Amino acid sequence: MTEVRINKSRLALVQGDITTEETDAIANAANSGLRGGGGVDGAIHRAGGPAIMEECRKIGSCLPGRAVITTGGNLKARYVIHAVGPIYQGGNKGEALLLKSVHREILKLATANHIKSIAFPAISAGAYGYPLRDAADIALRTTCDYLKEHDDIELVRFVLLDRATYDAFAEALETICPQS
Ligand code: AR6
């Protein structure tokens, strides 16, 4: 685990399973149809139970770069913020802007819902194919920039399933916040 302080907020990296997080909210790497799927999306719906999918069905869909909020069903987290990252298509299709936008939209929804702590997975870095180190860099830079401007969110935890993903985020954080 590694942790840095950004103004009044803490930004932490941990290796683990996001479905067991006790933060107020967890972010989900969803698809535009909010239909559930594999990866972290599948794990969140399995652990959270059918109430989350029921809410997703009512919402309907979500554009890439955007996010929507539901309750957390049976999860310890009170909310799930379902976010749609870009599908990586070589890097010239606006993917970086969309990945930045998706992180900002999640944080804005957290602020709007008075969420004090939130966990993120490595959005787009699995099935959507975003190169890991670049995805880590964008996720952390966007989060750091947001936390510098807003002090309402006390804790952001990036919960990274495997060692390679954790190491990529730790390297990126070292470049962005060298005091860590
Ligand atoms: N906890 C934390 N991270 C996890 C977990 C978990 N339980 N399970 C997987 N990861 P992905 P994407 C990591 O593919 O690339 C879905 O089918 C995983 O190792 O879940 O944004 C959706 O429905 C990787 O580092 O999301 C979409 O169709 C990261 O989460 C599509 O995949 C993201 O991998 C979204 O693709």
Side-chain angles (χ1 to χ4, degrees):
M1 155 149 173
T2 184
E3 187 171 299
V4 295
R5 196 162 261 287
I6 296 159
N7 293 343
K8 291 183 180 162
S9 312
R10 291 183 292 143
L11 171 59
L13 309 181
V14 292
Q15 193 182 338
D17 174 2
I18 201 167
T19 64
T20 62
E21 281 295 303
E22 296 184 5
T23 44
D24 294 343
I26 64 175
N28 180 20
N31 52 61
S32 288
L34 303 175
R35 298 181 302 273
V40 70
D41 196 8
I44 288 172
H45 282 288
R46 273 194 303 279
I52 300 177
M53 183 50 76
E54 194 51 42
E55 287 180 63
C56 283
R57 263 194 222 103
K58 283 189 188 139
I59 295 166
S61 62
C62 179
L63 290 171
R66 306 296 300 269
V68 299
I69 189 164
T70 67
T71 62
N74 301 329
L75 297 170
K76 289 183 182 134
R78 267 191 299 139
Y79 299 101
V80 178
I81 298 181
H82 306 264
V84 184
I87 299 172
Y88 192 77
Q89 298 172 82
N92 293 319
K93 297 269 170 28
E95 294 96 325
L97 278 177
L98 284 171
L99 193 58
K100 182 175 173 180
S101 159
V102 87
H103 285 84
R104 244 191 117 74
E105 291 295 315
I106 293 167
L107 292 161
K108 279 162 67 180
L109 265 180
T111 294
N113 287 277
H114 312 291
I115 287 164
K116 299 288 175 208
S117 58
I118 179 163
F120 280 74
I123 297 171
S124 286
Y128 281 1
Y130 213 106
L132 189 49
R133 184 58 166 75
D134 295 343
D137 207 63
I138 291 169
L140 291 171
R141 265 183 215 285
T142 308
T143 303
C144 285
D145 288 348
Y146 190 89
L147 295 177
K148 279 179 195 159
E149 296 160 11
H150 303 80
D151 57 15
D152 52 289
I153 302 177
E154 293 163 6
L155 172 66
V156 176
R157 276 162 71 83
F158 280 85
V159 181
L160 308 156
L161 190 63
D162 54 73
R163 187 75 209 179
T165 309
Y166 177 87
D167 286 346
F169 273 72
E171 269 177 36
L173 189 63
E174 187 61 39
T175 334
I176 295 162
C177 291
Q179 83 269 22
S180 63

